[in-house]
Amino acid sequence: MDNVDMMAEQITDLIRRAKADQTTPVDRVQLLATAIGLAVDPLHQLELMMLVADTAGRAAHDAAGRALRGEGRPQGKPATWTEIGAAAHLSKDTAFRQYHGGAALSWSTANRGVRQAVRRPAAGGEAH
């Protein structure tokens, strides 16, 4: 067995462990991030990075819930939406809406550096 096969096996094992029901959301992110470091194929890295992004948003949702319940907080004091929003770099209203309206927290596309691409026709032709 060569190194590439061993890394593929390790990646498969890390993904399997990340998907296990007993794995905490934070541990899922860490396991998938480790898998990215082992992947050689850029498309495989891309696939794993997208899994990490989704998993991290879900882990952020979980962390917000724990903060709201005061778990792990000084004196068990529940966090406010202002505190959660500040920690997530979101407005308190956005954090509240995302928490109650879905299963993940995420930044807007603009905050992630995504801009609208405009497809322009090639010289003498139409856009494809």
Side-chain angles (χ1 to χ4, degrees), residues 5-20:
D5 291 337
M6 287 177 56
M7 288 197 306
E9 248 181 57
Q10 285 180 292
I11 291 169
T12 300
D13 182 58
L14 289 164
I15 293 169
R16 181 189 52 74
R17 289 171 42 205
K19 290 182 177 181

Side-chain angles (χ1 to χ4, degrees), residues 3-36:
N3 283 346
V4 173
D5 291 337
M6 287 177 56
M7 288 197 306
E9 248 181 57
Q10 285 180 292
I11 291 169
T12 300
D13 182 58
L14 289 164
I15 293 169
R16 181 189 52 74
R17 289 171 42 205
K19 290 182 177 181
D21 289 339
Q22 70 273 15
T23 305
T24 66
V26 170
D27 288 340
R28 283 187 176 108
V29 173
Q30 292 175 342
L31 289 165
L32 291 170
T34 300
I36 292 169

Side-chain angles (χ1 to χ4, degrees), residues 83-105:
E83 292 170 319
I84 292 169
H89 298 279
L90 299 169
S91 73
K92 67 180 182 181
D93 294 334
T94 298
F96 179 87
R97 281 192 312 273
Q98 287 185 6
Y99 182 81
H100 288 290
L105 299 183

